[in-house]
Amino acid sequence: MGKVPLVVVRKYEPEKDCLGVEEVERRCEVGPSGKMSLFTDMLGDPICRVRHSPAFLMLVAEMGEEKEIVGLIRGCIKTVTCGKKLSRNGKNTHLPVYTKLAYILGLRVSPSHRRMGIGLKLISVMEDWFREMGAEYSYMATDKDNEASVKLFTERCGYSKFRTPSILVQPVFAHRVRISKRVHIFQLAPSDAETLYRHRFSTTEFFPRDIDSVVNNKLSLGTFVAVPTGSSYCTESVVGLNVNQFLSDPPESWAVLSVWNCKDVFTLEVRGASKVRRGLAKTTRIMDRAFPWLGIPSVPEVFRPFGLHFLYGIGGEGTESVKLMKSLCGFAHNLAKKSGCGVVATEVASGEPLRLGIPHWKSLSCAEDLWCIKRFGDDYSDGSVGDWTKSKPGLSIFVDPREF
C-alpha cells in the first residue's frame, strides 16, 4: 500500500494561491450530470465573502511535493446577540446579551481528494483559530439535502442542527414594479439607520453589535423605511427625519429594510440548462421588454454571469407592515434593475411574520437553509442565558449581509 502524501494546512497567500484556489472552486462547483448548477465567480478575490467582517481567516490545504492546493476553508468572527435579559431600570425592557460568534463558510475539498480527512483537518485548524480569538460559538450554513456536509459537521465535528431559515429569491424583471401610491418610502442616513436598528432590533438573534460598520459599509446601498401615505412622516427626507421622534412616536404601521450590493463582490451563473429552458426564458424577456405595461414576470438572463442585491435588516410593526414590506421589496427590485442585477435575495427566519410581504419565486428559493452550531466551552457571556445551542428559535433573525 502506497504512502499517503502529507497534507499541510496553512494561511492563504493571495499572490501564491489565487489560481490554485480558483481551480478547487471550479472543480467543486460541477453539478450532477444533466442538471442545472449555480456557479460563483468571486472576481479574483477568494476572500470577498469574509473580508468585510471584523476578523477573518482563509486556510488552504496543500498536498505532495508539488504542493497542490486540494482544499480550502474560510472563517470569520464577530459579536452578535444570542439572547436577551431584563433591564434593571425597572421599565420592564429587555437588553441584548452578546456573544463572540465564529462562522465557517466556503469549505471545499477537490473531488479527487475526498474521504482523506482533509475537510476535517481544515475545520480543526480553523476552530483552533476561533478559540485563540475567544469565540464562544461556531456555526455554519448548508443545504439541508447536502448529506455529506451535514454528516461531517454533526457526526464528526460536534455541531448540532440549530436554525432553518429560508432564502427567498426574486428575479429582476425587464419592467419596473409598480409601487402603491398609498405607501411613502424614504431613505435613512446611515447614523439614523444605526439608531433605528439598535433601538428596535438589538435583541434579535444574530444581530451584529457592530451594526454601524454594516450600514456605513460602501456595499450598503441604503436603509429604507415605508409608511402609509398620510402619515406625519411622509414629507421626511434624509436630512429632515428626526429618528428619535420616529422611535418615540412611530406611525401605526411601518416597515424597514437595507440593501447590500453583492454585485461588486461576486457574480453568479446558472449552467446546465437545456436549450428549451433557455429559449422559454428568452421569450419571457422579449415579451416583457416589448410590453412592459403588462408586467410579465420575465426570467432574467441567469445563464451568463449576473449580480444580485441582498436585502437585510428586515423588520416592521403594525397591521399594514406586510403590505409596506411588499412595497419596499418592489422599491428594492427597481433599484436592482437600475443596477443591472439579475435577482434580489434575502434570508429570513422560518416564522418571520413579514415573510408574507416578500415576493419570491419558489423555484429559485430555498425553503430550509440549515444552520448548525457548536459551543467551545462553558464560559458564556451571561450565565442567565445558558447554552445558546439549546435555546428555542425566535420569530426573527438578523442575517448579516457580510456573510451571504
Side-chain angles (χ1 to χ4, degrees):
M1 185 175 180
K3 184 178 179 181
V4 178
L6 176 67
V7 176
V8 175
V9 173
R10 59 171 175 79
K11 184 179 179 180
Y12 166 74
E13 300 176 29
E15 295 183 2
K16 177 181 177 182
D17 302 328
C18 189
L19 292 179
V21 165
E22 288 180 351
E23 178 61 19
V24 172
E25 293 277 9
R26 186 190 66 79
R27 292 178 184 175
C28 292
E29 290 194 324
V30 175
S33 178
K35 295 185 178 181
M36 290 193 297
S37 303
L38 187 64
F39 286 71
T40 305
D41 182 352
M42 298 187 184
L43 307 177
D45 182 13
I47 308 179
C48 65
R49 293 181 62 198
V50 294
R51 70 163 57 256
H52 295 279
S53 296
F56 62 87
L57 177 68
M58 180 171 174
L59 301 171
V60 296
E62 59 182 17
M63 175 182 285
E65 296 180 0
E66 298 80 9
K67 296 185 178 180
E68 176 188 7
I69 294 180
V70 296
L72 57 102
I73 192 172
R74 303 172 182 87
C76 54
I77 302 173
K78 61 183 178 180
T79 300
V80 305
T81 297
C82 64
K84 56 186 178 181
K85 59 183 178 181
L86 279 173
S87 170
R88 296 179 180 177
N89 61 13
K91 296 182 179 180
N92 198 33
T93 57
H94 286 91
L95 298 175
V97 175
Y98 292 109
T99 189
K100 205 166 188 179
L101 176 69
Y103 179 48
I104 290 177
L105 75 163
L107 173 63
R108 302 281 189 269
V109 176
S110 179
S112 59
H113 294 84
R114 290 173 182 171
R115 300 184 182 279
M116 299 174 64
I118 296 174
L120 189 63
K121 189 168 185 177
L122 283 164
I123 295 171
S124 178
V125 176
M126 181 61 76
E127 288 185 344
D128 287 343
W129 179 70
F130 288 162
R131 292 185 179 92
E132 290 174 5
M133 296 292 289
E136 298 175 274
Y137 296 91
S138 171
Y139 85 109
M140 53 77 69
T142 187
D143 187 327
K144 68 180 182 66
D145 295 325
N146 188 340
E147 295 181 4
S149 178
V150 174
K151 186 175 182 179
L152 171 63
F153 279 92
T154 59
E155 296 185 12
R156 304 196 64 185
C157 297
Y159 287 70
S160 56
K161 297 179 181 180
F162 190 55
R163 301 290 183 257
T164 54
S166 301
I167 299 176
L168 307 179
V169 181
Q170 174 78 345
V172 175
F173 308 130
H175 67 274
R176 289 175 56 84
V177 172
R178 296 185 183 90
I179 308 298
S180 172
K181 294 182 179 180
R182 297 181 179 179
V183 177
H184 177 72
I185 296 174
F186 56 87
Q187 183 176 357
L188 294 179
S191 59
D192 289 333
E194 176 191 352
T195 299
L196 174 62
Y197 280 134
R198 287 196 189 282
H199 187 87
R200 305 305 291 258
F201 303 105
S202 64
T203 57
T204 301
E205 203 172 39
F206 289 93
F207 179 83
R209 190 165 67 180
D210 66 332
I211 186 63
D212 54 319
S213 296
V214 180
V215 296
N216 282 288
N217 191 289
K218 63 181 181 180
L219 296 175
S220 190
L221 300 180
T223 299
F224 305 92
V225 174
V227 297
T229 299
S231 164
S232 59
Y233 295 97
C234 285
T235 59
E236 301 292 0
S237 63
V238 173
V239 177
L241 175 68
N242 185 328
V243 71
N244 292 317
Q245 180 183 347
F246 182 89
L247 291 171
S248 62
D249 184 25
E252 291 185 4
S253 295
W254 59 276
V256 62
L257 61 72
S258 298
V259 182
W260 187 267
N261 180 21
C262 295
K263 182 183 177 183
D264 288 350
V265 179
F266 60 85
T267 60
L268 302 172
E269 180 181 358
V270 176
R271 297 182 182 177
S274 66
K275 290 184 178 180
V276 173
R277 188 182 292 269
R278 287 170 175 262
L280 290 173
K282 185 176 181 179
T283 299
T284 65
R285 292 194 298 275
I286 292 174
M287 293 291 291
D288 196 359
R289 284 195 295 267
F291 309 104
W293 59 86
L294 295 178
I296 297 172
S298 56
V299 180
E301 179 56 273
V302 295
F303 306 115
R304 60 183 181 184
F306 65 91
L308 69 89
H309 282 174
F310 182 75
L311 311 183
Y312 71 97
I314 288 174
E317 293 180 351
T319 56
E320 296 183 56
S321 58
V322 171
K323 293 181 180 179
L324 295 172
M325 180 54 62
K326 184 176 180 179
S327 292
L328 276 177
C329 288
F331 177 87
H333 168 280
N334 295 340
L335 183 63
K337 179 182 182 299
K338 185 177 180 180
S339 299
C341 289
V343 301
V344 175
T346 190
E347 188 162 15
V348 297
S350 56
E352 171 60 59
L354 295 176
R355 176 175 175 163
L356 295 174
I358 303 174
H360 63 280
W361 280 15
K362 186 177 180 181
S363 59
L364 299 177
S365 304
C366 174
E368 288 189 10
D369 183 36
L370 178 62
W371 290 8
C372 298
I373 196 168
K374 174 182 180 177
R375 64 170 179 158
F376 290 133
D378 295 324
D379 298 325
Y380 299 103
S381 300
D382 192 297
S384 65
V385 175
D387 188 350
W388 190 21
T389 67
K390 295 180 174 59
S391 66
K392 294 182 179 180
L395 290 177
S396 303
I397 55 174
F398 197 103
V399 178
D400 195 324
R402 296 172 295 185
E403 299 170 359
F404 182 73

